[in-house]
Amino acid sequence: MDHRPQAWGRPRDDVYGAYDASYLHDSGPKTATQSPVVTGTSVIGIKFKDGVVIAADNLASYGSLARFNNVKRLRTFLNSSVIGFGGDVSDMQYLDRLLSELAIDETYETDDTPEDDEETTKKTHLNAANLHKYLQKLLYQRRSKFDPLWNQILVAGTDGEGKPFLASVDLRGTAFSSASLATGFGSALAQPIMRRYAETDEQAAKLTREEAVAVVKECMKVLFYRDARSLDRYSIAVVTKAGVELAEEEQLEKQSWAFAERIRGYGTQNV
Amino acid sequence: MAAMFSQNPLMNGPNYSFNDAPKVNAPEGARQHRFDPYTDNGGSTLAIAGADFTIMAGDTRHTSGYSINSRYYPKVFKIGGTTADQHDANLVLSVVGFAADGEALKERLDAICKMYRYRHGKPMSVKACAQRLSTILYQKRFFPYYVYAILGGLDEEGKGAVYSYDPVGSYEREQCRAGGAAASLIMPFLDNQVNFKNQYVPGSGEGHALQERERKPLSRNEVEVLVKDAFDGAVERHIEVGDGLQMMVITKDGIEEILLPLKKD
């Protein structure tokens, strides 16, 4: 007989069979949390006088393999906002599905009778600021459940007052806003270039649409030069109060690799 | 009979349920790397209580590592007004650390203060709100809000009140407190300039005979200059601090917001 205190009051194995403890701990860590698998690289965006320009290339990488080269990482929302996704592509597709449902609900709930003039209709729809808050809450909730959506997201559009809106949110629910924004490699390579043109909202308010588009195209080129997980085909969108103009098959123009010859210090060249 | 073949090392007796159950479900080569739900978004905050006012301040820089994400990301918030514009708010909360947690905490406390106002027909006192904030933080003791919070307002007698917190809800009322990235740079400065630590009356003796300089509350102007000096110093020595200085001055007439530039380098 076992008289140790731990045994007091316990059912004996030889009488009742071994205790089935399997339900107590399905041991090991939770498998919900992953790391990104198929990923998109930088998304960049800059505000201008009456809107926002946003761009992302069409590549989805599998580690260092350029796996899918026709993946659209910008999506519009109710023809009034654009969302750009960096990070995990499957999580992007999940969010895309979610936002499509949200857009349908929005359209049904909003009274869109023909008498309504354009202005009142736009106001009742979720604007980019609302959408950004929604995504922030969603991503923060998921990180708090230790089951993050592995994305860095830029939201472009207009806020409640019709002013240009550009903000970012990441997999931890960290959200911030600025005159120009970039995720991933872009924050190191593109952001300094964009800040030369629009350091503050006041400076951005002086930028024309053509200038903003030119800056973004230049940044996409710089990213293609130096980001090994990037592509020369990209999507670019211009969001204004009037709506969204999205081009998904843009090709980088006027590339010059002349600089490559002058790079010394590593590689195969001698001298 | 079964007892004879038992694995029990002590008594050669029967086995019991407290023996380690075999881990049947352990996954093959369990993942070593885990998702880290926290980051540090830098920045610094500061609060000083005066005789009839409180000043809460924070820089407006938002960082990730060496990158500046935004040059205007406020860390100091009016709390508990009737509406979203907070025109009739009586409390100010500053949060620094992990920005997403900071925002979640701010929104929760604000909602609670609004509910209190609605139910009781009066704004929440700083003392009550301070205790409530501690409870909120402690409720998440085992998955904390990674933020250093400071709550400011005027107490029942109209004196300036500053309550400071650690991430799990320990709190204390103080005359002044610095929080965040440059707290260790600013706090000693505050000890010396607000509480007159290590200041003695000249010629009052030597060693233990030295007489401490008498403490008296500072005027609002003095405090505003002190805050600006503290941040100018912090900006010079800490890379995560800079861009803008946001100050909230709480007096019996309401809350005044001041925005000053800081170095952007």
Side-chain angles (χ1 to χ4, degrees):
Chain A
M1 197 44 202
D2 185 353
H3 294 290
R4 288 177 298 166
Q6 301 99 296
W8 296 351
R10 299 276 187 165
R12 286 169 55 155
D13 285 1
D14 56 343
V15 178
Y16 297 101
Y19 183 70
D20 178 13
S22 61
Y23 83 95
L24 279 175
H25 37 84
D26 43 335
S27 43
K30 252 171 70 177
T31 46
T33 307
Q34 355 66 354
S35 46
V37 180
V38 178
T39 58
T41 182
S42 323
V43 186
I44 60 172
I46 188 170
K47 288 191 210 172
F48 66 96
K49 192 149 49 85
D50 29 38
V52 188
V53 184
I54 182 170
D57 68 26
N58 293 350
L59 179 70
S61 310
Y62 179 72
S64 58
L65 174 72
R67 183 64 182 82
F68 305 105
N69 50 30
N70 196 25
V71 173
K72 309 293 155 46
R73 298 195 288 122
L74 298 185
R75 69 101 68 203
T76 56
F77 186 82
L78 293 174
N79 196 39
S80 61
S81 313
V82 174
I83 303 146
F85 296 89
D88 194 276
V89 170
S90 63
D91 285 347
M92 169 186 88
Q93 287 167 344
Y94 165 75
L95 283 167
D96 184 55
R97 216 151 56 227
L98 199 87
L99 289 168
S100 297
E101 277 176 42
L102 185 67
I104 291 169
D105 290 348
E106 267 301 293
T107 322
Y108 269 111
E109 277 169 25
T110 319
D111 184 21
D112 236 349
T113 46
E115 305 95 73
D116 280 356
D117 60 311
E118 191 71 2
E119 208 51 34
T120 50
T121 318
K122 274 278 154 54
K123 260 182 197 156
T124 48
H125 275 319
L126 281 181
N127 59 40
N130 302 145
L131 200 58
H132 174 254
K133 197 69 172 180
Y134 178 86
L135 287 169
Q136 189 208 341
K137 297 266 168 186
L138 181 71
L139 267 65
Y140 182 73
Q141 188 206 34
R142 288 292 294 262
R143 85 99 217 187
S144 298
K145 282 162 64 182
F146 273 88
D147 186 15
L149 292 166
W150 215 286
N151 296 107
Q152 294 86 359
I153 296 173
L154 293 192
V155 183
T158 50
D159 63 10
E161 292 156 18
K163 285 188 294 194
F165 176 89
L166 175 64
S168 152
V169 58
D170 71 4
L171 64 161
R172 294 187 180 85
T174 316
F176 47 86
S177 172
S178 185
S180 64
L181 285 173
T183 71
F185 246 93
S187 68
L189 293 175
Q191 190 68 302
I193 299 170
M194 292 191 290
R195 279 185 183 154
R196 282 229 290 271
Y197 296 90
E199 172 88 53
T200 60
D201 277 358
E202 290 73 45
Q203 282 171 278
K206 292 191 186 110
L207 223 56
T208 65
R209 175 190 166 137
E210 287 70 32
E211 284 169 330
V213 169
V215 171
V216 165
K217 287 189 170 176
E218 184 66 20
C219 288
M220 291 309 285
K221 195 152 71 182
V222 170
L223 282 168
F224 182 59
Y225 284 152
R226 278 295 177 175
D227 181 357
R229 312 280 170 265
S230 68
L231 198 66
D232 53 355
R233 291 173 71 72
Y234 63 98
S235 306
I236 186 167
V238 181
V239 204
T240 59
K241 233 191 287 186
V244 177
E245 291 162 57
L246 173 64
E248 293 184 313
E249 303 282 347
E250 292 294 291
Q251 181 77 33
L252 277 187
E253 286 159 358
K254 283 181 261 164
Q255 290 180 46
S256 167
W257 290 87
F259 72 91
E261 256 182 273
R262 296 193 301 274
I263 295 173
R264 296 286 128 149
Y266 56 91
T268 52
Q269 71 299 79
N270 29 21
V271 182
Chain B
M1 189 61 194
M4 290 184 66
F5 302 102
S6 165
Q7 297 295 303
N8 190 317
L10 270 190
M11 312 286 292
N12 198 29
N15 287 306
Y16 291 89
S17 57
F18 58 78
N19 282 336
D20 273 8
K23 294 186 174 178
V24 276
N25 295 326
E28 206 38 45
R31 189 178 290 278
Q32 287 293 300
H33 185 81
R34 287 196 71 192
F35 166 65
D36 179 5
Y38 294 114
T39 44
D40 187 353
N41 298 113
S44 224
T45 56
L46 167 54
I48 299 175
D52 57 353
F53 66 92
T54 297
I55 294 193
M56 306 276 292
D59 71 320
T60 64
R61 180 173 288 185
H62 185 287
T63 63
S64 293
Y66 290 136
S67 301
I68 297 172
N69 291 326
S70 178
R71 296 194 192 279
Y72 184 69
Y73 185 87
K75 292 185 228 328
V76 190
F77 308 98
K78 295 177 190 173
I79 287 285
T82 13
T83 51
D85 64 13
Q86 306 283 8
H87 68 279
D88 55 351
N90 62 319
L91 299 168
V92 174
L93 174 74
S94 75
V95 283
V96 66
F98 175 38
D101 273 351
E103 205 166 322
L105 180 65
K106 175 209 75 177
E107 281 176 15
R108 240 179 102 183
L109 190 68
D110 185 43
I112 285 165
C113 289
K114 279 183 164 59
M115 286 304 293
Y116 182 99
R117 197 188 262 265
Y118 173 65
R119 283 185 183 148
H120 296 85
K122 64 175 185 188
M124 213 170 184
S125 67
V126 231
K127 197 181 174 185
C129 191
Q131 174 60 56
R132 189 68 181 85
L133 178 53
S134 170
T135 312
I136 294 170
L137 288 164
Y138 194 78
Q139 275 176 342
K140 273 174 71 67
R141 173 63 180 77
F142 298 108
F143 184 26
Y145 287 118
Y146 192 171
V147 288
Y148 292 89
I150 307 175
L151 186 71
L154 300 176
D155 67 9
E156 293 92 331
E157 297 163 31
K159 291 182 189 151
V162 163
Y163 290 87
S164 70
Y165 298 78
D166 81 346
V168 288
S170 311
Y171 79 115
E172 162 179 46
R173 184 174 170 177
E174 290 179 297
Q175 206 56 41
C176 64
R177 170 59 68 182
S184 56
L185 281 70
I186 297 174
M187 206 58 217
F189 173 71
L190 255 36
D191 286 339
N192 183 250
Q193 291 296 309
V194 178
N195 293 325
F196 299 149
K197 291 284 160 63
N198 297 99
Q199 293 199 50
Y200 299 96
V201 178
S204 59
E206 282 193 356
H208 289 299
L210 267 173
Q211 222 182 311
E212 282 183 17
R213 179 179 164 189
E214 191 201 345
R215 280 183 53 200
K216 53 176 197 296
L218 302 166
S219 74
R220 177 180 159 176
N221 271 339
E222 285 174 306
V223 173
E224 277 186 34
V225 171
L226 217 55
V227 169
K228 184 66 167 53
D229 286 349
F231 272 93
D232 282 335
V235 164
E236 210 59 52
R237 287 289 182 177
H238 201 117
I239 56 166
E240 291 172 352
V241 183
D243 292 331
L245 172 60
Q246 184 197 21
M247 269 198 264
M248 298 264 202
V249 188
I250 310 145
T251 61
K252 64 177 183 344
D253 305 317
I255 302 171
E256 191 186 326
E257 191 174 347
I258 303 166
L259 200 64
L260 297 168
L262 287 176
K263 283 175 74 171
K264 294 185 195 301
D265 58 4

